[in-house]
Amino acid sequence: MSKNSTVRGLILAAVGGLALSLTGVPAQAASCGSTKYEDGTVGPAVCPNGKPNKAVRSTYRDQAPNVMALKEDATRKQVLAALCADHTAGAMKVAIY
């Protein structure tokens, strides 16, 4: 994996994690399946009805537990620390969109 791919994956993980943390609680989640795309991303994060996709959320939690533990008021420093912790622990096996 090239350095650019790793950086892109980390950025996508942060954006995906924060987007999911801002889109509601599990009781509001929907399930519209999970697809692994050619570039290694998993999606869709949001179902056609606008609800977070709980099938993808569980994958995100497995792949980036520190990022997914962030709350909506997380600072940039906390996001970067979570990304680094997940990457260092080897938790981020695929790029997350």
Side-chain angles (χ1 to χ4, degrees):
M1 181 181 265
S2 73
K3 186 175 182 177
N4 285 341
S5 295
T6 301
V7 171
R8 185 176 61 218
L10 292 173
I11 291 169
L12 289 174
V15 170
L18 289 175
L20 285 176
S21 71
L22 295 172
T23 55
V25 296
Q28 297 173 330
S31 182
C32 52
S34 175
T35 303
K36 184 173 181 181
Y37 303 107
E38 283 184 36
D39 63 357
T41 59
V42 179
V46 179
C47 292
N49 64 0
K51 306 273 186 198
N53 184 350
K54 64 183 176 184
V56 172
R57 185 185 310 196
S58 64
T59 301
Y60 286 179
R61 263 192 224 116
D62 292 342
Q63 297 298 323
N66 291 302
V67 169
M68 290 303 293
L70 294 170
K71 302 296 181 203
E72 66 181 77
D73 60 346
T75 65
R76 177 180 165 80
K77 186 175 181 178
Q78 290 169 324
V79 171
L80 292 174
L83 285 168
C84 290
D86 284 340
H87 183 69
T88 301
M92 298 176 75
K93 294 178 181 71
V94 296
I96 299 173
Y97 175 73

